[in-house]
């Protein structure tokens, strides 16, 4: 039943598929190390040759006798969607084929030596705190060209190209150095997440201004509840994202675009300073430094126990904590409150993006099979099954029609609908300049702990950005929106 003022699930899904990404949000988790000695220009990758014996059913000419190796980041989405769904669909397409499946949370630790040694998997789900530097891998010719995938006939309708079945943000965010090298598979909403049932029981309103936010902090403190917390271990980038999105809320998306483009003094811009100062003040007055010693799962358990109100994370959290979530907890999304009286983006602006990176190894043993595996993932059966298993949406248009979505995801979709065109863009330097993003995740803990001032944080980040800008060995990227 639809309540007055709400929209139907069908409407939500249609808007997610057709209008969510007009602002061109950036890619997802693209940090951590790749291999050493990356140059400024991409080296020529081995051509992913397509066999002559192709068909709409096998557009890449996959050799059914060749094994396929798939490495999956087993985080918030787990790895069952790959092992029990996508890999089984691949085996169905090529009876008798062997698929080697590896699940890990240590992508960089496990994969870096393999890329150096030339023994690479065919498909890599590059995600999590140890995800590899895709710009560096691209510079070394490790990533297969995905333009052939996007131009291939779709599994569901050979008359349609794959590129015509996905949200346009997939194509925008596939690019590294102007080449289609990355597939972002999921739709995510990043903002402040809270327990709607707790707020209902306390008759608390979700704050829309910073004054209301701090007033709620005082009320919650009296009841022994933190207003806000983030994980200081294996998750400080959650708070770095939060600060960046707050800066965009204050000064508009151009703030983040300037950071990505390494514009002079971009980190010293007033909206960035205001955002860092606002959150450092929240931490000092309403936070707990003990959370700096917790990882993301431990922090999320604290929230499930109603020990903290707001947590900066993405919509994957609902599935990640599904087994631990008590009956009296209902995930809901809250936009960042108005920070100043003159924020460029109105209350309700939220970040919506595509993420969960997949790449095919150009120097792998079976790149054709890797491309076909991604094509199967982008089928409606592959995408719908992913949503059923993870309770998260994919980038495939219409694939989740009719599914019973969880409360948190419905909350996020409603928030997205209310935001309209006020979508906060993602920071692409996360994937473009690993060293800068990793440094930011270190510095955010330092400033939030009160060991440096917000001004010093911005100065430190600017100095690091300037060094990268002057380093000719680092390939530079640019964006217009």
């Amino acid at each position: 039943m639809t309540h007055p003022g709400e929209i139907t699930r069908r409407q939500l899904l249609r808007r997610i598929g057709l209008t969510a990404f007009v602002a061109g949000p950036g890619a997802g988790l693209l940090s951590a190390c790749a291999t050493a000695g990356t140059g400024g220009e991409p080296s020529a990758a081995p051509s992913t040759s397509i066999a002559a014996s192709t068909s709409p059913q096998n557009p890449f000419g996959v050799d059914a006798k060749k094994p396929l190796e798939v490495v999956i980041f087993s985080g918030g989405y787990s790895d069952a969607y790959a092992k029990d769904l996508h890999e089984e669909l691949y085996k169905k397409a090529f009876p008798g084929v062997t698929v080697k499946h590896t699940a890990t949370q240590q992508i960089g630790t496990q994969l870096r030596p393999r890329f150096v040694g030339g023994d690479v998997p065919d498909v890599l789900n590059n995600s999590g705190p140890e995800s590899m530097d895709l710009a560096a891998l691209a510079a070394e010719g490790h990533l297969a060209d995905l333009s052939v995938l996007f131009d291939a006939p779709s599994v569901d309708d050979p008359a349609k190209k794959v590129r015509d079945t996905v949200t346009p943000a997939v194509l925008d965010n596939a690019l590294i150095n102007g080449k289609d090298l990355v597939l972002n598979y999921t739709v995510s909403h990043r903002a402040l997440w809270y327990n709607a049932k707790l707020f209902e029981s306390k008759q608390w309103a979700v704050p829309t201004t910073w004054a209301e936010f701090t007033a709620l902090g005082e009320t919650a403190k009296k009841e022994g509840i933190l207003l806000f917390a983030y994980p200081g271990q294996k998750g400080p980038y959650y708070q770095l994202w939060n600060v960046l999105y707050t800066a965009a809320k204050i000064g508009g998306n151009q703030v983040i675009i300037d950071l990505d483009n390494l514009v002079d003094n971009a980190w010293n811009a007033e909206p960035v300073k205001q955002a860092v100062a606002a959150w450092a003040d929240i931490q000092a007055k309403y936070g707990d430094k003990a959370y700096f010693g917790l990882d993301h799962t431990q922090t999320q358990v604290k929230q499930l126990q109603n020990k903290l109100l707001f947590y900066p994370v993405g919509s994957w959290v609902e599935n990640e904590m599904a087994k631990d979530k008590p009956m009296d907890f209902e995930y809901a999304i809250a936009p960042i409150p108005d920070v100043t009286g003159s924020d460029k983006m109105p209350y309700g602006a939220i970040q919506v993006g595509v993420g969960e990176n997949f790449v095919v190894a150009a120097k792998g043993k079976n790149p054709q099979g890797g491309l076909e595996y991604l094509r199967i993932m982008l089928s409606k059966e592959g995408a719908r099954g992913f949503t059923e298993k993870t309770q998260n949406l994919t980038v495939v248009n219409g694939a989740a029609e009719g599914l019973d979505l969880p409360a948190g995801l419905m909350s996020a979709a409603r928030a997205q609908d209310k935001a309209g065109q006020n979508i906060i863009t993602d920071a692409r330097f996360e994937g473009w300049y690993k060293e800068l993003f990793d440094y930011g995740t270190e510095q955010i803990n330092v400033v939030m702990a009160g060991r440096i001032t917000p001004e010093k944080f911005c100065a430190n980040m600017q100095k690091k950005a300037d060094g990268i800008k002057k380093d000719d060995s680092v390939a530079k990227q640019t964006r217009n929106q």
Side-chain angles (χ1 to χ4, degrees):
M1 179 178 179
T2 304
H3 298 288
E6 291 188 346
I7 54 178
T8 67
R9 179 178 290 107
R10 179 176 294 273
Q11 288 171 322
L12 290 173
L13 292 170
R14 183 177 298 114
R15 293 178 189 186
I16 287 170
L18 297 179
T19 67
F21 309 104
V22 174
L29 304 171
L30 297 176
S31 58
C33 293
T35 54
T38 59
E41 292 296 327
S43 58
S47 63
T48 308
S49 58
I50 305 301
S53 55
T54 63
S55 67
Q57 291 71 38
N58 186 8
F60 311 118
V62 175
D63 183 347
K65 297 178 182 179
K66 275 190 175 182
L68 184 77
E69 183 179 1
V70 179
V71 174
I72 299 294
F73 172 69
S74 183
Y77 301 128
S78 187
D79 67 316
Y81 72 86
K83 183 170 60 177
D84 300 335
L85 174 65
H86 295 152
E87 291 168 19
E88 290 302 313
L89 290 174
Y90 186 86
K91 292 176 184 177
K92 182 179 178 181
F94 305 102
V97 72
T98 299
V99 178
K100 181 181 178 181
H101 173 91
T102 301
T104 180
Q105 291 194 6
Q106 297 178 308
I107 294 293
T109 298
Q110 292 197 15
L111 273 295
R112 191 180 306 114
R114 295 189 60 183
F115 274 94
V116 172
D119 175 28
V120 293
D122 301 300
V123 177
L124 170 61
N125 168 209
N126 185 60
S127 190
E130 285 196 28
S131 57
M132 300 185 73
D133 184 341
L134 294 187
L137 292 180
E140 295 177 353
H142 282 299
L143 305 185
D145 185 352
L146 299 188
S147 61
V148 290
L149 166 68
F150 297 137
D151 286 330
S154 69
V155 170
D156 302 296
D157 182 357
K160 281 187 177 181
K161 293 181 179 181
V162 169
R163 68 172 63 248
D164 297 325
T165 67
V166 297
T167 183
V170 173
L171 307 177
D172 293 339
N173 290 281
L175 296 172
I176 297 178
N177 292 321
K179 295 182 179 180
D180 294 323
L181 301 177
V182 185
L183 170 65
N184 290 279
Y185 190 60
T186 62
V187 175
S188 66
H189 303 73
R190 299 179 193 162
L192 301 172
W193 288 78
Y194 69 101
N195 180 3
K197 289 188 175 180
L198 174 64
F199 273 61
E200 183 179 5
S201 68
K202 299 285 188 181
Q203 296 186 319
W204 289 342
V206 175
T208 62
T209 68
W210 212 254
E212 292 174 356
F213 192 51
T214 55
L216 181 58
E218 295 292 343
T219 299
K221 184 189 291 188
K222 294 175 183 177
E223 300 199 23
I225 305 174
L226 297 178
L227 175 65
F228 168 84
Y230 73 94
Q233 303 294 321
K234 296 185 178 180
Y237 54 85
Y238 286 0
Q239 177 58 7
L240 180 58
W241 286 339
N242 191 38
V243 166
L244 293 172
Y245 302 153
T246 303
K249 170 80 170 62
I250 297 169
N253 279 329
Q254 190 63 45
V255 173
I256 292 180
I257 294 170
D258 287 347
L259 296 178
D260 288 343
N261 289 339
L262 301 177
V263 171
D264 291 344
N265 269 326
W267 282 97
N268 288 317
E270 200 58 34
V272 181
K273 290 181 179 179
Q274 289 175 318
V276 178
W279 283 109
D281 183 62
I282 290 295
Q283 173 65 37
K285 292 179 179 177
Y286 308 108
D288 184 344
K289 290 182 181 179
Y291 282 73
F292 293 159
L294 303 183
D295 64 21
H296 64 293
T297 302
Q298 293 168 325
T299 305
Q300 287 156 198
V301 167
K302 294 284 189 183
Q303 187 181 35
L304 293 180
Q305 297 169 342
N306 289 327
K307 293 183 178 180
L308 65 107
L309 294 185
F310 293 103
Y311 179 62
V313 71
S315 46
W316 58 83
V317 68
E318 189 166 25
N319 181 68
E320 190 168 35
M321 304 307 292
K323 293 180 180 179
D324 301 302
K325 185 169 69 69
M327 293 296 293
D328 63 349
F329 195 101
E330 181 180 293
Y331 277 110
I333 196 171
I336 296 168
D338 289 338
V339 185
T340 73
S342 56
D343 288 2
K344 282 197 175 179
M345 301 187 80
Y347 175 75
I350 61 170
Q351 194 276 339
V352 184
V354 292
E356 206 61 21
N357 298 190
F358 286 81
V359 296
V360 173
K363 301 177 184 180
K365 298 179 179 67
N366 190 5
Q368 291 81 15
L371 292 169
E372 180 61 20
Y373 183 87
L374 296 193
R375 192 175 78 105
I376 288 171
M377 285 176 57
L378 293 171
S379 68
K380 285 192 175 181
E381 184 177 4
R384 183 183 181 87
F386 178 92
T387 297
E388 289 175 324
K389 287 183 177 295
T390 69
Q391 298 295 285
N392 282 268
L393 296 173
T394 73
V395 297
V396 180
N397 294 329
E401 287 283 359
L403 291 181
D404 186 20
L405 301 177
L409 188 55
M410 288 295 291
S411 169
R414 285 193 292 268
Q416 178 183 314
D417 182 69
K418 291 178 182 178
Q421 299 302 305
N422 296 303
I423 300 297
I424 298 173
T425 190
D426 209 349
R428 298 186 189 176
F429 76 86
E430 178 179 349
W432 290 351
Y433 310 116
K434 176 200 84 70
E435 185 179 351
L436 181 59
F437 187 77
D438 286 354
Y439 183 70
T441 64
E442 297 171 1
Q443 289 292 297
I444 201 67
N445 270 350
V446 179
V447 69
M448 292 295 286
R451 296 199 297 273
I452 60 174
T453 65
E455 290 77 13
K456 181 62 174 174
F457 170 87
C458 292
N460 289 349
M461 293 301 297
Q462 188 59 55
K463 183 177 180 181
K464 177 64 72 171
D466 290 343
I468 290 171
K469 185 174 184 178
K470 294 174 183 176
D471 188 347
D472 292 337
S473 70
V474 178
K476 305 305 189 294
Q477 316 285 333
T478 58
R479 60 181 292 193
N480 296 319
Q481 62 178 17

